[in-house]
Amino acid sequence: MTRIFSGIKPTGHLTLGNYLGALRRWVEVDQHRADALFSVVDLHALTVEHDPARVRRLSRQAATLMLAAGLDPALCTVFVQSHVDEHTRLSYLLECTATDGELRRMIQYKEKSARARASGESVRFSLLSYPVLMAADILAYRTDEVPVGEDQTQHVELTRDLALRFNQRYGHTFTVPRATRPPVAARVMDLQDPASKMGKSHDSGAGIVYLLDDADTVEKKIMRAVTDSGRDVAYDREARPGVSNLLEILAACTAREPHELAGAYDSYGALKRDTAEAVVELLRPVRERHAVLAAESGYVEQVLREGAERARSLARPVVDAASRAIGLLPA
């Protein structure tokens, strides 16, 4: 059976982009067709300055939202990355396989380290090395497919390179995974800055729809979305990024095509109203289910505990085999 691994980093409140680009596909498709593992990758949240209490709070919220969105522990494995020690064990073995040059070529490292230096902050080594930890997340489970947004595709390519290199040097140990992406709304853009991804950790939330925003807040954010010069509604990512972003969001909510939807509107206002209504209705059951689960913290903790136990049972034989292959004595 095909095995899938993917994760969510608890660096901010989950957004509409997280839902349309990842969560919904996990729920509607991936958990039904594969042996799927979905993780709150909390170790990745430590690569930058952070508040420990906030990381814990956001980790619990992310796990709760994953279940509220419809991940079923009877169908898939939901767990927290730091609860499975095999991730960090394997990460060091892969650091001994990766090169300094290929890590420094990672686009996210270049961008984030440049921002940190510009603001006078030091750059943590973990920011450079975390793509190797991400590779360990994937390879520990002999993963076949990794559902990711386009901004993470380069990291999956690095994972493939490390798996192939390790296998060639030390004997076949890892499955070489491939990245998969949903056909539409894989990269939802900020409503106030359609050139930027709708990210969890932006300083301003004016252009970000969070999964726990109430209906009025969602409507206000979408009605205030930046559009483009001109009045016609056309789908063109390059020339009309604001309108195209709204069309892609509406298309993802209604299972229609952005080009098809563009022809149905003669004003930005009507497009915004319909998009707002569609998003509110899409997120309503998630928000309601989250409220129920948040009041039943014992259930969420049990799911995460059982998920970590299963993840550990899958990863340990793989990491033990990698340790032997690279030259370490068995414990």
Side-chain angles (χ1 to χ4, degrees):
M1 191 176 189
T2 298
R3 181 164 290 161
I4 289 174
F5 176 91
S6 198
I8 286 179
K9 184 165 59 174
T11 52
H13 300 287
L14 298 191
T15 72
L16 177 66
N18 297 127
Y19 185 78
L20 293 179
L23 261 176
R24 187 171 66 167
R25 181 176 174 84
W26 297 356
V27 169
E28 296 180 354
V29 180
D30 293 334
Q31 69 173 339
H32 298 284
R33 71 178 181 88
D35 181 9
L37 296 100
F38 301 113
S39 180
V40 179
V41 286
D42 53 344
L43 295 174
H44 292 299
L46 310 184
T47 60
V48 295
E49 191 65 33
H50 63 276
D51 173 13
R54 185 171 186 266
V55 171
R56 286 191 291 270
R57 186 169 63 253
L58 290 174
S59 296
R60 180 181 295 278
Q61 184 185 90
T64 305
L65 278 168
M66 289 161 70
L67 297 172
L71 288 182
D72 184 348
L75 298 175
C76 65
T77 303
V78 180
F79 68 104
V80 176
Q81 176 194 33
S82 64
H83 294 176
V84 181
D85 292 343
E86 280 67 26
H87 289 250
T88 49
R89 282 182 59 203
L90 182 55
S91 182
Y92 181 73
L93 303 185
L94 295 177
E95 283 182 13
C96 297
T97 308
T99 67
D100 176 78
E102 62 191 345
L103 293 181
R104 293 188 187 278
R105 286 194 294 271
M106 294 290 105
I107 294 171
Q108 289 206 12
Y109 172 72
K110 291 180 178 180
E111 293 177 348
K112 291 181 179 180
S113 61
R115 286 199 297 268
R117 293 188 184 100
S119 62
E121 298 176 4
S122 59
V123 179
R124 300 185 182 194
F125 175 74
S126 55
L127 186 62
L128 177 66
S129 64
Y130 95 86
V132 180
L133 177 57
M134 180 175 173
D137 298 338
I138 297 165
L139 297 180
Y141 300 101
R142 294 205 168 107
T143 301
D144 299 295
E145 296 181 12
V146 188
V148 292
E150 62 185 73
D151 59 324
Q152 293 292 331
T153 302
Q154 187 185 33
H155 291 159
V156 180
E157 288 303 313
L158 174 67
T159 302
R160 290 172 54 85
D161 290 343
L162 295 180
L164 288 167
R165 189 178 305 154
F166 193 101
N167 289 346
Q168 289 166 358
R169 289 180 181 175
Y170 308 115
H172 185 79
T173 306
F174 300 120
T175 298
V176 181
R178 61 185 179 276
T180 58
R181 292 208 302 270
V184 71
R187 190 176 173 91
V188 178
M189 312 307 281
D190 191 291
L191 296 171
Q192 292 298 314
D193 179 13
S196 300
K197 180 183 174 182
M198 186 181 284
K200 298 188 296 293
S201 53
H202 283 198
D203 292 334
S204 170
I208 304 170
V209 174
Y210 296 106
L211 297 190
L212 295 181
D213 280 345
D214 60 47
D216 288 343
T217 301
V218 172
E219 183 177 358
K220 287 177 183 176
K221 288 180 177 180
I222 293 176
M223 293 304 295
R224 294 171 182 170
V226 168
T227 48
D228 311 290
S229 59
R231 295 183 178 180
D232 58 313
V233 177
Y235 181 66
D236 185 332
R237 263 292 186 188
E238 297 299 321
R240 312 296 294 279
V243 170
S244 296
N245 189 37
L246 291 171
L247 287 168
E248 285 205 357
I249 292 170
L250 182 58
C253 291
T254 58
R256 298 175 66 185
E257 292 296 324
H259 288 97
E260 173 193 351
L261 287 168
Y265 293 95
D266 55 14
S267 74
Y268 294 157
L271 172 61
K272 288 180 176 181
R273 282 192 296 274
D274 283 359
T275 302
E277 181 179 341
V279 171
V280 166
E281 291 308 310
L282 182 74
L283 299 184
R284 188 188 307 281
V286 177
R287 195 171 65 250
E288 292 174 351
R289 177 65 175 156
H290 175 271
V292 173
L293 291 174
E296 300 175 358
S297 60
Y299 171 75
V300 176
E301 290 173 358
Q302 179 184 351
V303 168
L304 296 179
R305 183 169 56 252
E306 293 175 353
E309 289 173 0
R310 179 170 190 269
R312 201 175 297 119
S313 71
L314 293 173
R316 183 166 293 167
V318 179
V319 180
D320 285 348
S323 296
R324 290 192 300 270
I326 205 171
L328 302 181
L329 287 171

